[in-house]
Amino acid sequence: MTKTPMTTLTGDVLHRALGGLAGWALAGDGQRISKTFRFPDFSVAFAFMTRVALAAERMNHHPDWSNSYDRVEITLTSHDARGLTARDVELASRIDRIAADHATPSRG
Amino acid sequence: MTKTPMTTLTGDVLHRALGGLAGWALAGDGQRISKTFRFPDFSVAFAFMTRVALAAERMNHHPDWSNSYDRVEITLTSHDARGLTARDVELASRIDRIAADHATPSRG
Amino acid sequence: MTKTPMTTLTGDVLHRALGGLAGWALAGDGQRISKTFRFPDFSVAFAFMTRVALAAERMNHHPDWSNSYDRVEITLTSHDARGLTARDVELASRIDRIAADHATPSRG
Amino acid sequence: MTKTPMTTLTGDVLHRALGGLAGWALAGDGQRISKTFRFPDFSVAFAFMTRVALAAERMNHHPDWSNSYDRVEITLTSHDARGLTARDVELASRIDRIAADHATPSRG
C-alpha cells in the first residue's frame, strides 16, 4: 500500500478545509493541526485511541499523539509532504466522528 | 494477585443475582451466562472488546467470547469454581455499563 | 473502500493456496479455514488480537474469532462470496506472520 | 479500588531502585522517569501499548505517554505523591518485560 504523493494545503484552501473542522488548532507555521480530547476515564480514552488506531491503519496515515489518563492530545501532519494535506483533514474528520461516539470532546 | 476462592451461586441466590442483569441467559445447567451485543461496525465492536479486556484484566477474571464483525457474544463462568460466582455477576454488570456507552446492545 | 468481487478458490487452486499456510484446517465443505493459537497469557493473546484487528481493518476483511484467556481460535471465510477467496489466504498469511512475533502458535 | 498512599523514593533508595531498570532516565528534579521504545511499525507499537494499558489498568497506575508511528515514549510519575514511588518502579519493570516480548527497545 504505497501512498500517493499529496499536495500540501495552504492559504484559502487550507482555511476552507479547517473551517469544516471544529476545535483543531493550526500550529507550527501551518504545518500541523492539534486537538485535545477528554473522556470519563482511562478505559474510555484508550478505547477511543483503539478506534483511531484502526482508522489510521486503514488510511495508512498515523497521528502523533499523547495520552495522560483521561486526556488524549492528537497532532496531525503529513511528514512526507512537510505540511498539511487532504489526508490530515480526512483523518481529523474521522477522529471527530469517533470522539462523538465516546464522550463530549473538549479543547483542553 | 491471587484469586480468593469463591462460592458458586445456586438456587434463589443465583436467581436474585441474575434478576439484576438484563439479557444474560443462563446456560450449561446454570454454570454459565451468555449475552450477545451488536454494534454499528467492527471498529465499535473492537473498541467495546478493548474496554471489556481492560475490565477483565483489572478483575483478573476473563470472558469466553467471540466476535464476528459487528457482533460480540460473551459467556461468563468461573472455571476454577465450576460454576457461576459473584465474580461473574460483577463482570456482567461492568460489561453492561460499558456496552451502554457504545451502542444499543441487543440479545441477538 | 468498496470490496472488489472475488472468485472463490476451489479444487487444485485452493489446495495450492492452502499448501502455503501451516496449520489452517479446511472446514465446512471447503468454505472456511480455521486455526487455533495459544499465548502465554490473556495480555499477549489480546495484543495479538489487536494486531489482527488492525490488519483486518486495513484489508477491510474481518475474521470470525473467539478467545478464552490464552487461546484464540480464528475462522476465515468470504461471507459475500460464500466460500474462500484470495482475501482469506492473504489474511491467514498476515495472521501467521503476526503470531510468529508473539509466541509459538499451536494447533490446539 | 482506592490507592494506598505511597512514599516517594528519594536519595539512595531511588538510585538503588533505578539501578534495577535499564534505560529509564530520571527527569524533572527526580520526580519522573522516561524511556523511549522503538518497534518495527505502528501495528507492533500499538500492540505494545495495548499490553501496557492492560498492565496499567490492573495496577490502577497509568503512564503519561506519546506515540509517533513506530515510537512510544513513556513517562512515569505518581501524580498523587508528587514524585516517584514503588508503583512507578513496578510499572517500569512490567513495561520492560512487555517490550522484551515485542522488539528490541532502544533509548531513542
Side-chain angles (χ1 to χ4, degrees), chain B residues 42-43 46 49-54 56-57 60 62-69 79, chain C residues 42-43 46 49-54 56-57 60 62-69 79:
Chain B
F42 175 76
S43 169
F46 196 75
M49 292 176 72
T50 299
R51 288 193 62 194
V52 172
L54 290 167
E57 194 71 359
N60 194 20
H62 301 84
D64 295 332
W65 52 355
S66 63
N67 159 248
S68 179
Y69 197 65
H79 292 287
Chain C
F42 175 76
S43 169
F46 196 74
M49 291 176 72
T50 299
R51 288 194 62 196
V52 172
L54 290 167
E57 194 71 358
N60 195 19
H62 301 82
D64 294 332
W65 53 354
S66 62
N67 160 248
S68 179
Y69 197 64
H79 291 287

Side-chain angles (χ1 to χ4, degrees), chain D residues 6-28:
Chain D
M6 299 214 78
T7 333
T8 53
L9 305 175
T10 52
D12 283 0
V13 178
L14 175 60
H15 285 281
R16 254 197 311 275
L18 294 181
L21 297 172
W24 289 86
L26 207 56

Side-chain angles (χ1 to χ4, degrees), chain B residues 27-72:
Chain B
D29 277 331
Q31 298 203 329
R32 303 188 296 274
I33 47 173
S34 294
K35 187 171 177 179
T36 301
F37 299 86
R38 244 184 205 161
F39 301 96
D41 59 25
F42 175 76
S43 169
V44 183
F46 196 75
F48 163 76
M49 292 176 72
T50 299
R51 288 193 62 194
V52 172
L54 290 167
E57 194 71 359
R58 188 150 179 168
M59 290 183 63
N60 194 20
H61 188 57
H62 301 84
D64 295 332
W65 52 355
S66 63
N67 159 248
S68 179
Y69 197 65
D70 58 354
R71 178 190 284 251
V72 180

Side-chain angles (χ1 to χ4, degrees), chain C:
Chain C
M1 259 200 238
T2 318
K3 294 191 185 194
T4 30
M6 299 213 78
T7 334
T8 54
L9 305 175
T10 53
D12 283 0
V13 177
L14 175 60
H15 285 281
R16 254 196 312 277
L18 294 181
L21 297 173
W24 289 87
L26 207 53
D29 277 330
Q31 298 203 329
R32 304 188 295 274
I33 49 174
S34 293
K35 188 173 178 179
T36 301
F37 299 87
R38 244 186 205 159
F39 301 97
D41 59 25
F42 175 76
S43 169
V44 182
F46 196 74
F48 163 76
M49 291 176 72
T50 299
R51 288 194 62 196
V52 172
L54 290 167
E57 194 71 358
R58 188 149 179 169
M59 290 183 63
N60 195 19
H61 187 58
H62 301 82
D64 294 332
W65 53 354
S66 62
N67 160 248
S68 179
Y69 197 64
D70 59 353
R71 178 190 283 251
V72 180
E73 187 179 346
I74 301 181
T75 296
L76 302 178
T77 189
S78 293
H79 291 287
D80 50 353
R82 297 172 179 271
L84 288 162
T85 66
R87 237 188 269 285
D88 299 300
V89 175
E90 171 61 23
L91 183 53
S93 157
R94 291 191 193 190
I95 288 171
D96 280 348
R97 285 197 299 274
I98 292 169
D101 282 352
H102 285 264
T104 316
S106 81
R107 271 191 228 190

Side-chain angles (χ1 to χ4, degrees), chain D residues 42-62:
Chain D
F42 175 76
S43 169
V44 183
F46 196 74
F48 163 77
M49 290 176 72
T50 299
R51 288 192 61 196
V52 172
L54 290 167
E57 194 71 359
R58 189 149 178 169
M59 290 184 62
N60 195 20
H61 187 58
H62 301 82

Side-chain angles (χ1 to χ4, degrees), chain D residues 21-25 33-37 72-75 96 105-107:
Chain D
L21 297 172
W24 289 86
I33 48 173
S34 293
K35 188 172 177 179
T36 301
F37 298 85
V72 180
E73 187 179 345
I74 302 183
T75 295
D96 280 348
S106 81
R107 273 194 224 191

Side-chain angles (χ1 to χ4, degrees), chain A residues 42 46 49-50 53 57 62-69, chain D residues 42 46 49-50 53 57 62-69:
Chain A
F42 175 76
F46 196 74
M49 291 175 72
T50 299
E57 195 71 359
H62 301 83
D64 295 331
W65 52 355
S66 63
N67 160 248
S68 178
Y69 197 64
Chain D
F42 175 76
F46 196 74
M49 290 176 72
T50 299
E57 194 71 359
H62 301 82
D64 295 331
W65 52 356
S66 63
N67 160 247
S68 179
Y69 197 65

